[in-house]
Amino acid sequence: MIIETRRLAFTDDSLIDAVTVALGSGVIKGPRVPVVRYEIPDVEGVMLRVMLKQPPPLGPQPMDLTMAQVAAILINYCRFRRIPVPRAGKKKLAAQGNAIILSITQELDTRKAA
Protein backbone atom coordinates (compact mmCIF):
# COMPACT_ATOMS: atom_id res chain seq x y z
CA MET A 1 0.00 0.00 0.00
CA ILE A 2 1.26 3.48 -0.85
CA ILE A 3 0.15 6.57 1.04
CA GLU A 4 0.01 9.78 -0.97
CA THR A 5 -0.10 13.16 0.77
CA ARG A 6 -0.66 16.50 -0.96
CA ARG A 7 -0.21 19.85 0.74
CA LEU A 8 -1.89 22.91 -0.73
CA ALA A 9 -0.93 26.25 0.83
CA PHE A 10 -3.37 29.12 0.38
CA THR A 11 -1.90 32.55 1.00
CA ASP A 12 -2.60 36.17 0.13
CA ASP A 13 -4.32 36.49 -3.26
CA SER A 14 -5.39 32.84 -3.51
CA LEU A 15 -7.05 32.90 -0.07
CA ILE A 16 -8.83 36.19 -0.77
CA ASP A 17 -9.91 34.88 -4.18
CA ALA A 18 -11.21 31.65 -2.62
CA VAL A 19 -13.41 33.59 -0.17
CA THR A 20 -14.63 35.90 -2.96
CA VAL A 21 -15.56 32.91 -5.15
CA ALA A 22 -17.36 31.25 -2.22
CA LEU A 23 -19.37 34.40 -1.46
CA GLY A 24 -20.29 34.76 -5.13
CA SER A 25 -21.35 31.14 -5.54
CA GLY A 26 -23.28 30.87 -2.27
CA VAL A 27 -20.95 28.33 -0.65
CA ILE A 28 -20.97 30.62 2.38
CA LYS A 29 -23.56 33.23 3.21
CA GLY A 30 -22.52 36.84 3.22
CA PRO A 31 -22.65 39.98 1.17
CA ARG A 32 -21.16 39.83 -2.31
CA VAL A 33 -18.60 42.55 -1.70
CA PRO A 34 -14.82 42.57 -2.17
CA VAL A 35 -12.58 41.06 0.48
CA VAL A 36 -10.09 43.70 1.63
CA ARG A 37 -7.79 41.51 3.70
CA TYR A 38 -7.72 38.51 6.02
CA GLU A 39 -6.11 37.39 9.23
CA ILE A 40 -5.74 34.15 11.09
CA PRO A 41 -6.85 35.10 14.60
CA ASP A 42 -6.04 33.31 17.82
CA VAL A 43 -9.72 32.98 18.72
CA GLU A 44 -11.52 29.79 19.72
CA GLY A 45 -13.81 28.53 16.94
CA VAL A 46 -12.54 31.03 14.35
CA MET A 47 -10.04 29.82 11.76
CA LEU A 48 -10.14 32.80 9.44
CA ARG A 49 -11.32 36.40 9.74
CA VAL A 50 -11.91 38.27 6.50
CA MET A 51 -12.52 41.99 6.23
CA LEU A 52 -15.25 42.85 3.76
CA LYS A 53 -15.33 46.19 1.97
CA GLN A 54 -18.28 48.33 3.01
CA PRO A 55 -19.26 51.80 1.78
CA PRO A 56 -18.15 54.80 3.86
CA PRO A 57 -18.54 55.65 6.67
CA LEU A 58 -18.70 52.00 7.79
CA GLY A 59 -15.26 50.86 6.67
CA PRO A 60 -14.24 47.17 6.47
CA GLN A 61 -16.50 44.77 8.37
CA PRO A 62 -15.15 41.51 9.83
CA MET A 63 -16.60 38.12 8.95
CA ASP A 64 -15.43 35.18 11.05
CA LEU A 65 -15.23 31.75 9.44
CA THR A 66 -15.12 28.38 11.20
CA MET A 67 -12.89 25.48 10.21
CA ALA A 68 -15.82 23.76 8.44
CA GLN A 69 -16.56 26.92 6.43
CA VAL A 70 -12.90 27.33 5.47
CA ALA A 71 -12.75 23.69 4.37
CA ALA A 72 -15.83 24.19 2.17
CA ILE A 73 -14.33 27.40 0.75
CA LEU A 74 -11.00 25.79 -0.15
CA ILE A 75 -12.47 22.62 -1.65
CA ASN A 76 -14.92 24.72 -3.68
CA TYR A 77 -12.03 26.91 -4.86
CA CYS A 78 -9.98 23.88 -5.92
CA ARG A 79 -12.90 22.63 -8.00
CA PHE A 80 -13.47 26.12 -9.43
CA ARG A 81 -9.79 26.38 -10.47
CA ARG A 82 -9.66 22.72 -11.56
CA ILE A 83 -7.12 21.72 -8.95
CA PRO A 84 -7.63 17.97 -8.39
CA VAL A 85 -8.80 17.03 -4.90
CA PRO A 86 -9.62 13.34 -4.44
CA ARG A 87 -13.07 12.88 -2.89
CA ALA A 88 -11.97 9.79 -0.95
CA GLY A 89 -8.88 11.45 0.52
CA LYS A 90 -8.75 12.44 4.17
CA LYS A 91 -8.62 16.22 4.43
CA LYS A 92 -7.03 18.23 7.21
CA LEU A 93 -6.70 22.00 7.70
CA ALA A 94 -3.99 23.85 9.58
CA ALA A 95 -3.02 27.48 9.99
CA GLN A 96 0.66 28.17 9.41
CA GLY A 97 1.88 31.75 9.58
CA ASN A 98 -0.29 33.75 7.18
CA ALA A 99 -1.42 30.66 5.26
CA ILE A 100 -4.08 28.00 5.48
CA ILE A 101 -2.77 24.53 4.60
CA LEU A 102 -5.09 21.89 3.15
CA SER A 103 -3.52 18.43 3.46
CA ILE A 104 -5.04 15.54 1.56
CA THR A 105 -3.99 11.97 2.31
CA GLN A 106 -5.13 8.85 0.52
CA GLU A 107 -4.08 5.26 0.37
CA LEU A 108 -3.29 3.79 -3.02
CA ASP A 109 -3.77 0.07 -3.42
CA THR A 110 -0.84 -1.39 -5.34
CA ARG A 111 -2.09 -4.98 -5.41
CA LYS A 112 -2.96 -6.26 -8.86
CA ALA A 113 -6.46 -7.54 -9.41
CA ALA A 114 -6.52 -11.32 -9.71
Side-chain angles (χ1 to χ4, degrees):
M1 183 99 32
I2 295 173
I3 298 174
E4 175 188 25
T5 301
R6 295 182 61 206
R7 245 178 118 229
L8 304 173
F10 295 83
T11 62
D12 306 325
D13 291 340
S14 64
L15 198 50
I16 289 172
D17 193 32
V19 174
T20 303
V21 167
L23 286 169
S25 64
V27 170
I28 57 171
K29 295 185 185 216
R32 293 180 180 186
V33 296
V35 177
V36 178
R37 65 181 184 278
Y38 72 93
E39 60 184 46
I40 300 172
D42 189 17
V43 177
E44 178 101 18
V46 177
M47 179 162 215
L48 185 66
R49 177 173 290 147
V50 293
M51 303 302 285
L52 303 174
K53 185 176 183 177
Q54 298 291 319
L58 296 176
Q61 297 294 309
M63 183 169 135
D64 290 344
L65 301 169
T66 65
M67 186 177 286
Q69 289 173 312
V70 172
I73 288 167
L74 298 183
I75 291 169
N76 176 69
Y77 188 69
C78 286
R79 290 183 181 140
F80 179 76
R81 294 288 179 204
R82 293 190 167 104
I83 299 167
V85 175
R87 290 185 187 270
K90 293 179 185 177
K91 294 149 189 90
K92 182 179 172 184
L93 287 179
Q96 187 177 42
N98 69 332
I100 302 287
I101 308 297
L102 172 61
S103 297
I104 306 153
T105 303
Q106 67 178 355
E107 293 180 2
L108 305 172
D109 191 359
T110 56
R111 294 176 287 168
K112 290 187 177 182

